[in-house]
Amino acid sequence: MVGSLTGKRLLPRYGLRVPVAGGAITALSLLLTALALQTGGAHHALPVLLTTMGLMGIGNGLVLPSLIGAPMAGIAPERAGTASGTLSTTQQFASVTGVTVIGGSYFAVLDHHDPATAATAACWLALAAASP
């Protein structure tokens, strides 16, 4: 919520630098989660996850509002319905694909390792997927 409300205020002033910064914050949170789980193990997982997931929420909050407004900005009013439906469908497909790939890799690794190792592998995969 904090990232989303802040992002809406910063977007008119800083433009596309806001979602780029949000993406960087999200990638940093994934990196920190993976490193912490890899080095500290599961016994330190809760404080690390609370911190890094909060950081990820801020990053996503900076990205997501602009992902809805930016593609719709140049659409002619008579095509707004079609564009909105296409945007919504694309976002849902991307979310489902991400959950499937990251979740599938997590459970594939979980079959052979402990939960902290599986979570670490899933974070590395998510970080790799988020990188250009």
Side-chain angles (χ1 to χ4, degrees):
M1 183 175 83
V2 170
S4 180
L5 293 174
T6 303
K8 283 175 69 172
R9 287 194 323 235
L10 295 175
L11 198 57
R13 183 172 181 182
Y14 296 105
L16 291 179
R17 288 182 281 187
V18 174
V20 170
I25 291 169
T26 300
L28 177 65
S29 71
L30 286 168
L31 177 65
L32 292 174
T33 301
L35 290 174
L37 288 173
Q38 191 169 359
T39 59
H43 60 281
H44 295 297
L46 185 60
V48 168
L49 289 176
L50 289 174
T51 303
T52 57
M53 292 302 123
L55 189 62
M56 185 181 294
I58 291 171
N60 284 338
L62 292 173
V63 172
L64 292 175
S66 59
L67 285 181
I68 294 169
M72 296 296 292
I75 302 297
E78 62 273 4
R79 296 184 181 243
T82 302
S84 176
T86 302
L87 176 62
S88 178
T89 301
T90 303
Q91 288 176 324
Q92 289 176 11
F93 179 77
S95 295
V96 167
T97 303
V99 168
T100 302
V101 170
I102 303 301
S105 66
Y106 173 79
F107 286 108
V109 172
L110 186 60
D111 283 344
H112 305 289
H113 300 288
D114 65 294
T117 304
T120 302
C123 286
W124 285 117
L125 180 64
L127 186 61
S131 300

